[in-house]
């Protein structure tokens, strides 16, 4: 399957329809509908436990869904015959905890998937990795092991690692919440760069200010239901749903303490 | 960076002097207490009423010198068995552990076999496995089945220790945090590649110390094959002891086994210390 990463086919990059997911009989996602256009940045917000991470994990096929469909570039990836490895090749996901491989250098972390999954030769893979490291201010860390990096540096490497395979779609799950405030800025800088480069992204965050700045579309999840969807303007200044208003108010109150 | 040079304060110099004095004092105490301890031990043993008889039957220099060449000769058989069995055990253990990680339904029979194998061979005493293989396999009279005792001994030890080592590998694989596997899978790595490039390299470091421990144990257990007629160190000593009614050759055998296991034990310590340092980096 060949993909032109710059501009995909006409339709949405990602289309989630009627997605249900339960753990041990307790529904966590309840009929989610979500579509993401090329170059669109979608930000998922919602209380802890509302199912944001679960949604991203389902999209990445790290979880099997109970019902509904997910299409990537018009192809159904929830089809039982679809090859999850092939689907994941086209997506990058970065988790809250960095999950770098501790026994590999930064460079090896980044080039592992290009070399072993995409068949890129080592010199080219390393060249691209160094380019990315350079772009995100980590050129001198190529040979370092993850435990020698600060949290912010580790998280930037994790993002670069996901980027190295030129994904069609990036999924970022609370990539700043394990970081000290002063390290958050540098990671947010990377995400801004990605947006400027036209990357299609879904991200979850508790940084409302950042969400408002970076998102094209904000989705509010409440108890596994996608309750409200709109532009940052709409959601943050004039939310339709009382639950959304309540959530945003509680976040603001928490900030004040 | 600003130019600040560090001159050790008087307080620090005093602290270091004190530290040196204390180190020297603890060295002296350790030496003296060791000498006293050994002295008392020797006095108690040699002062016991049975000591003259024990000395003649267990510590006879003459018997030692006579038996040594034969015991040493037999000992090479132990070393050979160990050197052949060890790599085989590693391969069997790793394969069984890997089979147990396979989740696809096609592999169900293999997985069930691996579980049954570890359950059975971990439960049966090594000596019994050796006897069953050593006497059972030749009795089958199968075309091409080995009859040579050393080969049979190696097979039995591999079967028995392979089950232990498989569990060690499995524990190592399980000790790698699931998020590592998720991270690898999310990059598009298949199960096999995830194992090979992400899980096993991390598991490997953690299993080396327990593996070496099992191998020290294997070195000793090579003497169990004497029961199926392999003339190794223990058997040689036995032959000598029963003809001369002197047990010194057993001591010679014990000495050889200790000499073999000590380097292994120190090597284990060395590796453990190294991985500790690595982690500290
Ligand atoms: N593997 C699992 N097994 C059982 N329950 C799970 C599992 N993963 C998630 N859950 C449950 O699903 C619900 C949604 O979890 P999820 O991690 O998606 O929330 P979230 O919106 O990402 O929350 P947070 O903002 O705290 O990250 C939670 O109640 C959680 O306990
Ligand atoms: Mg989450």
């Amino acid at each position: 399957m060949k993909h032109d990463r710059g501009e995909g086919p006409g339709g949405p990059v990602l289309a989630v329809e009627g997605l249900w997911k339960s753990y041990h009989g307790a529904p966590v996602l309840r009929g989610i509908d979500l579509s993401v256009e090329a170059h669109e940045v979608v930000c998922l917000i919602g209380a802890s436990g509302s199912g944001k991470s679960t949604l991203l994990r389902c999209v990445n096929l790290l979880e099997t869904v109970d019902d509904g469909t997910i299409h990537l570039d018009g192809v159904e990836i929830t089809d039982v015959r679809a090859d999850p490895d092939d689907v994941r090749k086209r997506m990058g996901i970065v988790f809250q905890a960095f999950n770098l491989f501790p026994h590999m250098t930064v460079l090896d972390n980044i080039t592992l998937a290009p070399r072993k999954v995409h068949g890129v030769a080592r010199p080219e893979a390393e060249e691209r990795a160094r380019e990315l490291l350079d772009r995100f201010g980590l050129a001198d860390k190529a040979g370092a092991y993850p435990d020698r990096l600060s949290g912010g540096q580790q998280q930037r490497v994790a993002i670069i690692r996901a980027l190295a395979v030129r994904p069609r779609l990036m999924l970022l799950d609370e990539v700043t919440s394990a970081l000290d405030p002063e390290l958050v800025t540098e990671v947010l800088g990377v995400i801004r760069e990605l947006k400027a480069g036209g990357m299609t992204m879904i991200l979850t965050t508790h940084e409302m200010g950042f969400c408002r700045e970076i998102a094209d579309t904000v989705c509010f999840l409440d108890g596994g239901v996608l309750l409200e969807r709109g532009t940052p303007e709409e959601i943050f200044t004039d939310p339709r749903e009382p639950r959304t208003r309540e959530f945003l108010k509680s976040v603001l109150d928490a900030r004040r303490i | 960076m600003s130019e600040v040079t560090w001159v050790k304060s008087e307080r620090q110099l005093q602290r270091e002097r004190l530290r040196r004095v204390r180190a020297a004092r603890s060295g002296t105490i350790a030496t003296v207490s060791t000498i006293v301890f050994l002295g008392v031990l020797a006095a108690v043993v040699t002062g016991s009423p049975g000591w003259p008889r024990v000395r003649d039957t267990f510590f006879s220099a003459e018997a030692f010198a006579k038996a040594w060449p034969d015991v040493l000769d037999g000992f090479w058989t132990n070393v050979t068995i160990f050197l052949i069995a060890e790599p085989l055990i590693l391969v069997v253990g790793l394969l069984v552990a890997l089979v147990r990680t396979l989740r696809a339904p096609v592999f169900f029979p293999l997985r069930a076999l691996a579980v049954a194998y570890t359950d059975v061979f971990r439960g049966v005493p090594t000596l019994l496995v050796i006897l069953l293989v050593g006497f059972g396999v030749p009795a089958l009279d199968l075309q091409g089945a080995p009859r040579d005792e050393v080969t049979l001994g190696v097979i039995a030890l591999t079967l028995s220790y392979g089950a232990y080592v498989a569990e060690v590998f499995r524990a190592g694989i399980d000790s790698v945090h699931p998020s590592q596997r998720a991270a690898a899978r999310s990059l598009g790595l298949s199960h096999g590649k995830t194992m090979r490039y992400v899980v096993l390299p991390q598991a490997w470091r953690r299993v080396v110390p327990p593996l070496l421990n099992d191998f020290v144990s294997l070195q000793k257990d090579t003497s169990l094959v004497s029961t199926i007629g392999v003339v190794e160190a223990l058997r040689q000593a036995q032959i000598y002891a029963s003809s001369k009614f002197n047990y010194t050759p057993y001591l010679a055998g014990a000495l050889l086994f200790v000499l073999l296991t000590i380097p292994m034990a120190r090597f284990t310590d060395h590796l453990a210390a190294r991985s500790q340092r690595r982690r500290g980096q």
Side-chain angles (χ1 to χ4, degrees):
Chain A
M1 218 180 290
K2 197 101 183 125
H3 277 276
D4 186 358
R5 252 108 227 218
E7 54 219 272
V13 173
L14 186 80
V16 176
E17 275 158 39
L19 186 66
W20 284 78
K21 173 72 188 173
S22 324
Y23 289 113
H24 317 296
V28 171
L29 296 178
R30 301 189 287 162
I32 300 279
D33 291 310
L34 173 70
S35 86
V36 183
E37 301 295 326
H39 313 302
E40 186 180 3
V41 176
V42 173
C43 192
L44 302 177
I45 59 171
S48 186
S50 57
K52 305 180 294 291
S53 300
T54 307
L55 177 54
L56 294 190
R57 291 173 63 85
C58 285
V59 169
N60 198 237
L61 302 186
L62 286 171
E63 304 286 350
T64 47
V65 306
D66 294 343
D67 202 353
T69 59
I70 304 172
H71 286 79
L72 181 66
D73 281 328
V75 179
E76 187 188 340
I77 60 175
T78 37
D79 188 321
V80 289
R81 288 158 301 185
D83 176 8
D85 290 335
D86 186 60
V87 172
R88 294 188 195 119
K89 278 185 205 171
R90 294 180 277 145
M91 282 186 220
I93 185 166
V94 182
F95 305 95
Q96 173 175 350
F98 329 111
N99 300 318
L100 293 178
F101 305 130
H103 60 296
M104 294 182 187
T105 61
V106 163
L107 200 63
D108 287 342
N109 260 283
I110 298 172
T111 59
L112 180 69
R115 289 192 293 122
K116 301 301 177 193
V117 180
H118 297 258
V120 179
R122 187 186 270 275
E124 284 143 59
E126 293 194 346
E127 197 189 306
R128 162 124 175 108
R130 285 184 196 281
E131 244 173 60
L132 287 167
L133 284 169
D134 205 28
R135 201 166 111 207
F136 296 115
L138 291 165
D140 57 327
K141 299 296 179 198
Y145 282 87
D147 59 358
R148 284 291 192 84
L149 305 181
S150 75
Q153 290 167 338
Q154 288 188 35
Q155 195 59 301
R156 281 185 284 159
V157 171
I159 295 174
I160 291 172
R161 183 174 72 180
L163 272 180
V165 299
R166 303 176 194 278
R168 183 85 176 101
L169 173 68
M170 282 282 272
L171 310 172
L172 304 171
D173 190 11
E174 279 178 48
V175 290
T176 58
S177 63
L179 300 177
D180 290 336
E182 63 267 37
L183 298 177
V184 168
T185 335
E186 57 187 42
V187 174
L188 296 186
V190 170
I191 300 172
R192 264 184 215 111
E193 271 246 22
L194 292 186
K195 181 180 163 83
M199 179 62 74
T200 311
M201 288 187 272
I202 307 178
L203 48 104
T204 74
T205 183
H206 286 295
E207 308 270 332
M208 292 305 147
F210 180 68
C211 170
R212 189 166 184 172
E213 170 205 328
I214 196 123
D216 297 310
T217 308
V218 179
C219 295
F220 174 64
L221 254 74
D222 183 50
V225 177
L226 208 164
L227 205 60
E228 186 163 1
R229 174 192 171 119
T231 64
E233 270 313 295
E234 289 165 1
I235 300 287
F236 285 104
T237 56
D238 186 25
R240 216 174 46 234
E241 299 288 334
R243 285 288 300 136
T244 315
R245 211 166 300 142
E246 227 171 276
F247 169 74
L248 290 172
K249 185 171 173 307
S250 74
V251 171
L252 279 179
D253 288 349
R255 178 76 42 88
R256 231 169 268 140
I257 294 167
Chain B
M1 217 182 276
S2 58
E3 285 292 318
V4 181
T5 47
W6 174 41
V7 182
K8 280 188 185 174
S9 68
E10 190 47 43
R11 182 83 191 77
Q12 178 63 16
L13 290 173
Q14 191 194 356
R15 195 182 282 146
E16 285 171 11
R17 261 196 310 276
L18 204 61
R19 238 177 238 150
R20 274 195 299 275
V21 171
R22 301 189 83 171
R25 194 191 303 155
S26 27
T28 316
I29 293 174
T31 315
V32 171
S33 83
T34 308
I35 291 171
V36 169
F37 175 75
L38 289 177
V40 169
L41 190 68
V44 168
V45 171
T46 58
S48 67
W51 171 243
R53 221 182 45 238
V54 168
R55 189 185 49 206
D56 292 344
T57 46
F58 281 90
F59 296 94
S60 150
E62 186 202 354
F64 189 93
K66 276 225 187 89
W68 179 261
D70 283 343
V71 175
L72 183 63
D73 201 44
F75 187 65
W76 291 126
T77 309
N78 293 88
V79 173
T80 310
I81 291 174
F82 170 71
L83 288 180
I84 299 172
E86 185 183 284
L88 289 177
I89 288 164
L90 278 178
V91 171
V92 168
L94 184 58
L95 283 180
V96 170
L98 282 176
V99 163
R100 291 190 72 168
T101 68
L102 297 175
R103 284 282 153 263
V106 215
F107 298 119
F108 178 78
L110 266 183
R111 211 162 60 228
L113 198 68
V115 174
Y117 164 72
T118 41
D119 282 357
V120 168
F121 282 90
R122 244 168 14 130
V124 179
T126 309
L127 181 58
L128 260 175
V129 176
I130 289 173
L131 290 172
L132 287 172
V133 171
F135 295 128
V137 172
L140 287 176
D141 235 350
L142 274 176
Q143 189 89 40
R147 298 180 157 279
D148 159 53
E149 291 89 1
V150 171
T151 312
L152 290 167
V154 166
I155 292 172
L157 285 172
T158 304
L159 284 173
S160 186
Y161 271 81
Y164 276 102
V165 167
E167 285 302 287
V168 171
F169 273 123
R170 196 161 72 101
I173 288 171
D174 285 347
S175 77
V176 176
H177 198 270
S179 66
Q180 286 283 307
R181 220 161 306 178
R185 295 311 297 269
S186 73
L187 285 169
L189 269 72
S190 62
H191 173 82
K193 283 178 178 165
T194 298
M195 277 290 156
R196 177 155 168 225
Y197 297 112
V198 176
V199 177
L200 284 181
Q202 294 183 58
W204 179 246
R205 288 180 192 187
R206 292 175 211 184
V207 300
V208 166
L211 276 186
L212 288 177
N213 194 38
D214 276 352
F215 286 145
V216 169
S217 169
L218 171 67
Q219 289 177 342
K220 297 184 298 182
D221 279 357
T222 54
S223 64
L224 293 175
V225 300
S226 63
T227 52
I228 55 169
V230 178
V231 185
E232 42 68 75
L234 174 64
R235 188 84 194 102
Q236 285 285 13
Q238 222 165 20
I239 292 169
Y240 191 95
S242 51
S243 68
K244 299 284 195 304
F245 299 105
N246 189 299
Y247 300 118
T248 310
Y250 286 137
L251 211 67
L255 188 66
L256 284 169
F257 278 106
V258 170
L259 286 180
L260 185 65
T261 51
I262 284 177
M264 194 76 138
R266 287 295 81 75
F267 183 58
T268 313
D269 292 349
H270 166 75
L271 284 181
R274 202 182 62 177
S275 77
Q276 199 77 60
R277 274 201 304 279
R278 277 242 190 90
R279 213 160 303 149
Q281 270 182 6

